[in-house]
Each structure stands twice: as structure tokens, then as C-alpha cells.
Amino acid sequence: MARRTDNIHKRKDGRWEGRMKNGITDSGQIKYKSIYGKSYSEVKEKMSIIARFPENVATARRDLGFSELLSLWLSANSIKHKGSTKNKYLWLIEKHIAPELGNLKITQINSAIVNEFLNRKLLSGRLDGKGGLSAAYVRSITIIIDAALKFAVAEQLCTPLKTPIYKPTQEKKQIKVLNKKEQSALEKRICEDMSLTGLGILISLHTGLRIGEVCALKWEDINLTDNIISVNHTLTRVRTNTLEYKTSFVLDEPKTNKSKRIIPINSFLCPILEIARNEAESPFVVSDKASFVSPRTFEFRFHKLLDGCNINSTNYHTLRHTFATRCIECGCDYKSLSELLGHANVRITLDTYVHSSLELKRSEIEKLTG
């Protein structure tokens, strides 16, 4: 039976609906408005936010500042956004959006003002004054502004913009992948002098785990009877101080349901994990303490190991790219690879990895000689 409390009920179409007072008619009758959401909690949160507005909606439209709107939008979406996303959005709002647009009333915001602001960020938006922000960075700012304005329209706080906000074009970066010689040298060096850092690197090379997922991995997540790894957690950077921008890593669930996944352990990795488990002193696979190793510390150790192998410096995510590329080279189907990587959909996998390897391109061209 659908839960019915706080004047909230579940509709036949699967959505939840809340009813709120919304003024009085000329004849003295109470007017109501409906608030919709995908869950009971989402509707209740929206209703608590709207309750903070003045009863006179026209006054609320006229007086609400853009900074206030951004705060309301963040609060309304707090259930949907994970810790790292909230942290990123807070940073962008406080450091970039609010200082320039925050004092404007939402009824003053138009496409021309927003597009001019975004262009300034592209040309000279860096906080250190040394040039402009990247297109990817400005796109993130655009997403926040666009979403907040759509939220305001949905809550009847303003009318829609008459012309669109233009997102800057983001150039696709060439992904870095270890070639087979580099991978072989790295694995050889690790196996000659096994360490917890080396163990984590091997796990990423053979499963595609992200650095936050490796650092969060516990031995209870590894089943060496069925030879599978369950990705149940990741490390997320969250804000720890509301007055200063201080952050720390916390153990959290993956951002999406697709990121929670099961990955088979291959025959190369399985005996290595068995030995490591017997010698483990921590519940965390790549830590020797009761708690986890931070991704920043783990990345530093990764770079030191690369230096010892005479491999050009690259970020830890290269290991995930390398795993995906090796899978494609071996003929892995894209749907399976997408699930192994925890991508939201196959399109992400196709756009990122298909024919990213020169060796794979050469192999495909050679087929023409048949």
C-alpha cells in the first residue's frame, strides 16, 4: 500500500505527489499546488524548500536572488547528488558563479548575461588570473546554471529563458594507454618486488577499477572461491568545513548503480590475490592500516613505481584505459566491457575506447590484405 503522510501520496503513474497551500482565491478559498518527484523523500524535500518561500509567490519571484536559487537547487537535489558531485558544484558556485552572478535577481538573469559570463570564464576565468578556464570546466559551470534555472521555472519562480545558453565545445582528449611493452615491464617489476601499491596497480590493470575503487576495496569484496570482485564502494572527496573549503575522503557508494558491479578475476591475478590475502594486515586490500589509503597518497606511490620502470609519467586512470584497450584488442564485446567498467551506457564505452589503440588499427587494416 502506498505511503500517505504529510499530504504526500503515490500516483498510479509511479510518481509521488505532494499537495501544498498556495494562497487564497478572491472568494476566500484556499488554493493548492502539486509538487512531484520520483520518491517520497524527494517530494518531501522539495516541499520543505518551497515552505521557506514567502506566501506571496509574486514577491518571491521578484526578490529571490540567484545565489539563493543556487542554494535551493542544491538542497532540492541533495538526494540525487553524491558527495563528490556536491563538493564539485559547491566549489564552482562559490568560486565562480556566485561572485559574478549571485547578486542578480533571478528575474534579471537572461541568456545574454549568462553567455557573456561564460565567455569571460573561457578567456580569463582562472582564479590565479593566468588565463581562461578549459571548455570542460566551463561546461560544468553551464550545467549548474542551466539546471538551477530550469528548477526555478519548474517551481514557478521565473519564466523560461527566451534563447538558449551555449555550452562551449569540448575537444576530445586522446586517451593515454600503456603499450604492451610498458605493461609487461611494469608487471614484471611489481612481481619481482610485490608491494601493496603494486598489488593495487595489478588489480586496476586486470579489472579496470578506478583509483577510488581500488583504495576502497576490502578483502570481504573479493571472493576467491568464485573468483570475483564485487565493487561496492569508492572513496569520495567531501567538504568537511562549511566556512572554509576543506575536504577529506570518505567511504561511499559508487555514483551510479552501474558502477556497482561484479568483475571476474583472471588466472594471472587470482594466485597473487590469494598470497596477498594470507599476508593481509588490514581489511582494505591496498592498506597496511585499519583505514584506507587516500587516492592522493596511492597516486604518489604509483608515480614512484613508474619512475623505477622508466615509464613516462601518466595518471593512474591510464591503467583503466589500458585494461579497456587490452579487452578490445582481445575481441571483448562492447556490452560486456561496458558492464566491466561500470559505464552508465555502452555509448560511453564506444566513444572512449573503440579503435583507440594504434595496434588495433594496424590489425584491422591488415585484414584488408586477406
Side-chain angles (χ1 to χ4, degrees):
M1 183 176 177
R3 176 169 37 177
R4 295 173 182 272
T5 182
D6 298 326
N7 210 14
I8 301 172
H9 69 279
K10 192 169 186 179
R11 294 163 51 95
K12 292 182 179 179
D13 61 6
R15 293 183 298 166
W16 287 81
E17 177 184 1
R19 298 275 289 169
M20 294 187 67
K21 292 181 180 179
N22 188 36
I24 300 174
T25 65
D26 294 337
S27 61
Q29 292 181 321
I30 297 175
K31 293 191 296 185
Y32 289 89
K33 69 179 295 184
S34 293
I35 310 299
Y36 300 98
K38 295 180 180 179
S39 66
Y40 171 86
S41 299
E42 181 182 343
V43 173
K44 188 173 182 180
E45 178 73 17
K46 284 184 176 181
M47 290 173 69
S48 68
I49 294 167
I50 295 171
R52 302 174 201 168
F53 295 164
E55 289 185 8
N56 188 322
V57 177
T59 302
R61 289 178 181 173
R62 184 174 64 250
D63 293 340
L64 193 67
F66 196 55
S67 283
E68 295 174 275
L69 171 65
L70 291 168
S71 178
L72 291 170
W73 171 75
L74 276 175
S75 181
N77 288 275
S78 61
I79 297 172
K80 181 173 68 174
H81 294 151
K82 289 289 184 179
S84 59
T85 303
K86 291 179 188 176
N87 192 56
K88 175 183 177 181
Y89 287 173
L90 275 170
W91 170 265
L92 293 175
I93 289 170
E94 293 180 3
K95 300 299 181 180
H96 292 283
I97 303 174
E100 295 196 44
L101 301 180
N103 290 331
L104 294 175
K105 304 300 182 184
I106 58 172
T107 50
Q108 295 176 297
I109 297 290
N110 58 44
S111 299
I113 289 174
V114 174
N115 287 329
E116 183 182 352
F117 162 74
L118 295 174
N119 284 330
R120 285 201 304 273
K121 288 297 174 182
L122 284 170
L123 295 173
S124 58
R126 286 174 59 97
L127 297 177
D128 59 8
K130 296 180 179 179
L133 299 172
S134 69
Y137 206 92
V138 176
R139 282 180 69 88
S140 295
I141 293 173
T142 309
I143 288 169
I144 294 172
I145 294 173
D146 190 47
L149 289 173
K150 287 179 178 176
F151 168 78
V153 171
E155 298 300 332
Q156 301 179 9
L157 299 173
C158 66
T159 57
L161 298 181
K162 294 180 180 180
T163 55
I165 297 173
Y166 294 104
K167 296 183 178 70
T169 302
Q170 182 178 349
E171 293 184 7
K172 187 176 180 180
K173 292 183 179 180
Q174 182 67 34
I175 65 171
K176 176 71 171 71
V177 175
L178 297 180
N179 61 43
K180 291 181 179 179
K181 184 178 179 181
E182 289 173 327
Q183 181 175 348
S184 178
L186 181 58
E187 290 177 342
K188 184 173 183 293
R189 177 64 180 268
I190 290 171
C191 291
E192 288 174 349
D193 185 18
M194 183 61 68
S195 65
L196 292 176
T197 302
L199 177 63
I201 291 170
L202 292 180
I203 290 173
S204 289
L205 276 172
H206 289 267
T207 65
L209 261 65
R210 303 172 177 92
I211 190 169
E213 294 169 340
V214 168
C215 292
L217 189 65
K218 295 184 176 182
W219 285 111
E220 65 187 37
D221 300 321
I222 299 178
N223 184 335
L224 292 175
T225 301
D226 297 330
N227 292 339
I228 56 173
I229 291 176
S230 299
V231 182
N232 297 315
H233 298 94
T234 189
L235 292 185
T236 302
R237 184 181 287 279
V238 298
R239 190 169 184 170
T240 56
N241 191 306
T242 56
L243 299 178
E244 300 177 38
Y245 194 83
K246 293 184 178 180
T247 62
S248 65
F249 284 102
V250 298
L251 199 64
D252 197 3
E253 290 188 352
K255 186 178 291 188
T256 67
N257 289 333
K258 292 281 188 180
S259 293
K260 295 184 74 171
R261 60 201 189 275
I262 294 176
I263 304 174
I265 304 171
N266 63 25
S267 57
F268 170 83
L269 193 58
C270 191
I272 295 173
L273 287 172
E274 287 179 344
I275 294 172
R277 184 179 62 178
N278 292 333
E279 299 174 353
E281 299 177 355
S282 168
F284 292 91
V285 176
V286 298
S287 175
D288 57 1
K289 297 183 174 66
S291 186
F292 52 77
V293 176
S294 78
R296 178 179 292 178
T297 299
F298 198 73
E299 176 112 26
F300 174 77
R301 294 172 181 174
F302 163 69
H303 282 287
K304 288 189 67 175
L305 212 157
L306 283 185
D307 292 340
C309 298
N310 293 319
I311 297 175
N312 291 335
S313 181
T314 185
N315 62 46
Y316 192 89
H317 210 68
T318 295
L319 303 180
R320 178 172 163 87
H321 293 325
T322 301
F323 165 77
T325 302
R326 293 290 100 85
C327 285
I328 291 173
E329 290 171 349
C330 293
C332 178
D333 71 272
Y334 303 134
K335 181 68 165 64
S336 296
L337 178 57
S338 180
E339 292 177 356
L340 289 171
L341 294 172
H343 284 162
N345 55 65
V346 178
R347 174 52 55 188
I348 296 173
T349 311
L350 292 171
D351 289 345
T352 308
Y353 296 111
V354 173
H355 298 316
S356 60
S357 164
L358 178 60
E359 294 178 37
L360 182 60
K361 292 174 183 176
R362 183 176 286 116
S363 173
E364 293 299 310
I365 290 295
E366 191 63 30
K367 292 177 181 179
L368 296 175
T369 64

